[in-house]
């Protein structure tokens, strides 16, 4: 400026430097994004919704390019205008005379506080979702999925019941099989059937009002194979066939909705509201049949020994490797019907894991974004502190030459950084508590209350505060290692 440089030319020079930096960052970001698309598509095995549709798109790349340029302009124009307004006389003098405690709170500190606050919000949200996923893994499903193999068959209607019963008997005789049953829709699968169930006789609800309940058609040993506990009465027997009376088994939820605390055994239900009644002979435990995060639904079971229709799923509880039984099960099925395929072969644990996969994937993606935000905040704080420390090199040299200890020099530098970190933590804490409450109330995550989750919030605050203070300490300590004579000549 003293040599006649115009303000416009100075601003253009500083903007050019800023745009160059952001352009290089944008190119590196696009390269990472190009690789990241393949990485995200690989998450299709984790049931990421519509993972196969994720692709590189010109509009997205164009948006990234525009955002990069705007970032360079916004991040460069404000400091460029500020630098162009410098007092020539003061600018020609030494800038190293800034004393301890003389640095004012500036807009760059506001930006750092904002970064820290947003990082805490993201870290807290990631912690809440990870805890929710852990609760899903520990949720009481009402059955034990370990070492259970499921496989479907689709017999013709005229051979359905006989084929299913014969196959169950043959598979039961295989070595390594502890128990086996069949059901028209295994838990955690996409199968879903429901019906309106009316109580017959005295009930907790009027006989003209029904309960929407799921229904399943099962063989005699299904409950044993799935280890669904029997609460009252009995399970089905092979004699519960078309020549006997209609019987049903209800779960605890349906029994409570229909009859309250009264004894359900011997009572009758009317599924569908027709003229066909079924007598309740047993009550079994509730099962989370659709998703570990959803509460159990009212369910009743009917005997598959009366007749079956449509596809049926085998559930085989094994004492060893479940997949090792697949060739033997296929062989037994071929012996009964050489034309019938065995399909949708998978373990029950895989079915459960697939239901949790979307929540797990979202949680880990949020963790990745939170760590990225944390890294940006730490880098920004480090840059601010390094710049502030470099402006005080001469002061540090004078104090060290006069006998000041390293801690005495580091302490005011840490105090300045600590103030920024503390403000960011407080602001982030407030937003994180609000965000956590909204997240819990919106998602209704199982095992977590709708209130404030203190553990993820506390963990995020401690982690961010530790990283923030480390980012302050490194440049401050580096300043104390400068030779006093070199520091005194710095200006």
């Amino acid at each position: 400026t003293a040599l006649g440089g115009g303000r416009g030319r100075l601003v253009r020079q500083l903007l050019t430097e800023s745009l160059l930096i952001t352009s290089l960052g944008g190119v590196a970001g696009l390269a990472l994004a190009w690789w990241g698309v393949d990485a995200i598509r690989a998450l299709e095995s984790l049931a990421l919704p519509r993972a196969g549709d994720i692709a590189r798109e010109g509009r997205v790349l164009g948006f990234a390019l525009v955002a990069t340029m705007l970032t360079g302009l916004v991040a460069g124009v404000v400091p460029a205008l500020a630098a162009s307004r410098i007092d020539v006389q003061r600018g020609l003098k030494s800038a190293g005379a800034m004393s301890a405690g003389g640095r004012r709170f500036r807009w760059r500190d506001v930006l750092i506080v904002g970064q820290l606050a947003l990082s805490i919000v993201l870290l807290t949200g990631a912690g809440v979702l990870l805890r929710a996923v852990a609760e899903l893994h520990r949720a009481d499903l009402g059955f034990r999925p370990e070492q259970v193999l499921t496989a479907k068959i689709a017999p013709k209607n005229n051979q359905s019941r006989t084929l299913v019963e014969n196959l169950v008997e043959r598979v039961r005789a295989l070595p390594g099989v502890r128990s086996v049953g069949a059901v028209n829709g295994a838990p955690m699968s996409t199968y879903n059937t429901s019906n309106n169930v009316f109580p017959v006789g005295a009930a907790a609800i009027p006989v003209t009002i029904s309960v929407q309940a799921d229904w399943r058609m099962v063989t005699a040993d299904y409950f044993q194979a799935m280890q669904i506990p029997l609460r009252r009465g009995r399970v089905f027997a092979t004699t519960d066939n078309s020549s006997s009376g209609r019987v049903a088994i209800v779960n605890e939820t349906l029994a409570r909705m229909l009859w309250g605390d009264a004894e359900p055994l011997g009572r009758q239900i009317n599924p569908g509201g027709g003229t066909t009644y079924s007598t309740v002979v047993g009550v079994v435990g509730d099962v989370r049949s659709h998703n570990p995060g959803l509460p159990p639904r009212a369910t009743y079971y009917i005997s598959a020994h009366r007749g079956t229709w449509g596809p049926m799923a085998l559930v085989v509880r094994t004492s060893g490797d479940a997949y090792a039984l697949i060739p033997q099960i296929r062989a037994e099925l071929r012996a009964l019907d050489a034309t019938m395929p065995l399909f949708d072969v998978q373990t029950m644990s895989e079915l459960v894991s697939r239901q949790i996969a979307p929540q797990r994937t979202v949680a880990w993606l949020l963790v990745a974004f939170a760590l990225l935000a944390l890294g940006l905040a730490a880098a920004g704080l480090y840059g601010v502190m390094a710049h502030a420390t470099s402006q005080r090199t001469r002061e540090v040299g004078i104090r060290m030459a006069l006998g000041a200890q390293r801690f005495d020099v580091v302490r005011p530098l840490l105090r300045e950084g600590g103030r920024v970190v503390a403000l960011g933590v407080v602001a982030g804490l407030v937003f994180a508590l609000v965000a956590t409450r909204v997240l819990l109330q919106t998602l209704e995550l199982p095992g977590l209350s709708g209130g404030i989750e203190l553990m993820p919030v506390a963990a995020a605050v401690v982690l961010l505060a530790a990283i923030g203070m480390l980012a302050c300490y490194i440049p401050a300590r580096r300043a104390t290692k400068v030779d006093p004579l070199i520091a005194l000549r710095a200006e």
Side-chain angles (χ1 to χ4, degrees):
T1 301
L3 294 176
R7 185 179 184 185
R9 295 187 62 182
L10 294 174
V11 170
R12 284 198 301 271
Q13 176 187 335
L14 296 174
L15 277 179
T16 301
E17 296 173 0
S18 177
L19 287 174
L20 177 61
I21 294 173
T22 52
S23 298
L24 293 174
V27 170
L30 288 177
L32 288 175
W34 195 271
W35 167 83
V37 168
D38 295 330
I40 293 177
R41 292 186 65 178
L43 296 176
E44 186 173 9
S45 60
L46 300 179
L48 184 67
R50 300 184 63 185
D53 296 338
I54 298 174
R56 303 172 185 91
E57 191 172 299
R59 290 179 297 175
V60 177
L61 297 179
F63 172 82
L65 179 62
V66 173
T68 300
M69 294 297 102
L70 288 177
T71 300
L73 289 173
V74 173
V77 70
V78 175
L81 290 175
S84 66
R85 290 195 301 264
I86 191 171
D87 184 357
V88 177
Q89 296 296 327
R90 292 187 59 188
L92 293 177
K93 295 180 179 179
S94 171
M98 184 182 292
S99 59
R103 197 174 69 87
R104 293 177 290 107
F105 197 73
R106 301 177 181 177
W107 279 109
R108 64 187 179 193
D109 297 325
V110 175
L111 295 177
I112 296 298
V113 168
Q115 280 186 312
L116 295 174
L118 291 177
S119 297
I120 288 184
V121 173
L122 284 173
L123 286 171
T124 301
V128 169
L129 286 180
L130 285 178
R131 186 178 172 191
V133 171
E135 292 293 336
L136 287 176
H137 280 286
R138 291 193 294 264
D140 182 11
L141 303 176
F143 63 92
R144 291 187 56 192
E146 300 82 13
Q147 292 185 307
V148 174
L149 182 71
T150 68
K152 290 183 180 180
I153 57 173
K156 302 179 180 66
N157 288 335
N158 59 355
Q159 63 174 3
S160 180
R161 180 180 63 82
T162 303
L163 179 67
V164 170
E165 289 179 338
N166 291 338
L167 181 60
V168 166
E169 291 301 321
R170 284 174 170 268
V171 174
R172 183 182 290 114
L174 295 176
V177 174
R178 296 169 57 187
S179 56
V180 57
V183 60
N184 59 334
M188 301 296 159
S189 65
T190 57
Y191 187 84
N192 185 28
T193 53
S194 62
N195 205 349
N196 294 317
V197 178
F198 294 85
V200 178
I205 60 175
V207 294
T208 56
I209 297 179
S210 65
V211 172
Q212 187 77 13
D214 293 344
W215 64 271
R216 294 292 184 269
M217 183 168 29
V218 301
T219 59
D221 291 336
Y222 169 75
F223 298 105
Q224 180 183 359
M226 293 296 294
Q227 294 192 1
I228 299 174
L230 177 67
R231 304 301 188 191
R232 291 190 183 96
R234 67 175 178 87
V235 296
F236 294 128
T238 55
T239 55
D240 293 319
N241 50 38
S242 56
S243 61
S244 63
R246 292 181 179 274
V247 294
I249 295 174
V250 298
N251 71 344
E252 293 176 294
T253 296
L254 181 57
R256 185 169 53 253
M257 294 174 70
L258 291 179
W259 301 292
D261 296 329
E263 176 61 57
L265 298 180
R267 296 180 182 269
Q268 291 184 317
I269 59 175
N270 181 8
T275 58
T276 302
Y277 298 167
S278 297
T279 302
V280 176
V281 297
V283 179
V284 295
D286 291 334
V287 170
R288 298 178 189 266
S289 56
H290 299 285
N291 190 293
L294 298 176
R297 298 172 60 170
T299 307
Y300 70 94
Y301 302 87
I302 60 177
S303 174
H305 299 288
R306 293 188 61 88
T308 63
W309 61 90
M312 294 289 288
L314 288 176
V315 287
V316 185
R317 182 167 293 277
T318 68
S319 58
D321 182 12
Y323 277 110
L325 286 171
I326 296 176
Q328 301 175 62
I329 296 175
R330 291 189 189 276
E332 297 297 337
L333 180 59
R334 282 196 299 269
L336 295 172
D337 188 338
T339 64
M340 185 164 300
L342 192 72
F343 61 98
D344 271 2
V345 180
Q346 54 195 320
T347 65
M348 187 59 65
S349 296
E350 290 172 340
L351 281 172
V352 175
S353 179
R354 187 171 300 168
Q355 292 295 332
I356 302 175
Q359 295 94 323
R360 184 172 58 241
T361 302
V362 171
W364 283 115
L365 285 175
L366 187 56
V367 168
F369 289 131
L371 293 177
L372 179 61
L374 182 62
L376 290 173
L381 185 59
Y382 178 87
V384 169
M385 291 306 302
H387 178 67
T389 302
S390 67
Q391 289 184 321
R392 298 167 64 169
T393 303
R394 188 164 179 263
E395 174 202 336
V396 170
I398 293 175
R399 298 187 66 183
M400 296 291 289
L402 294 177
Q405 300 298 316
R406 285 186 175 180
F407 179 75
D408 296 328
V409 176
V410 170
R411 183 170 53 191
L413 299 176
L414 287 179
R415 187 185 302 118
E416 293 177 4
R419 180 178 58 172
V420 177
V421 172
L423 289 173
V425 167
V426 171
L429 187 61
V430 173
F431 289 119
L433 293 177
V434 175
T436 300
R437 188 176 184 86
V438 172
L439 182 65
L440 293 174
Q441 291 178 346
T442 302
L443 299 181
E444 297 181 351
L445 300 171
L448 301 180
S449 64
I452 296 172
E453 288 294 316
L454 294 180
M455 186 62 69
V457 175
V461 167
V462 171
L463 177 62
L464 188 66
I467 293 180
M469 291 309 298
L470 182 63
C472 297
Y473 175 75
I474 293 175
R477 179 173 174 79
R478 182 179 299 165
T480 63
K481 294 184 177 181
V482 177
D483 187 289
L485 292 178
I486 298 177
L488 290 174
R489 300 192 187 104
E491 304 299 336

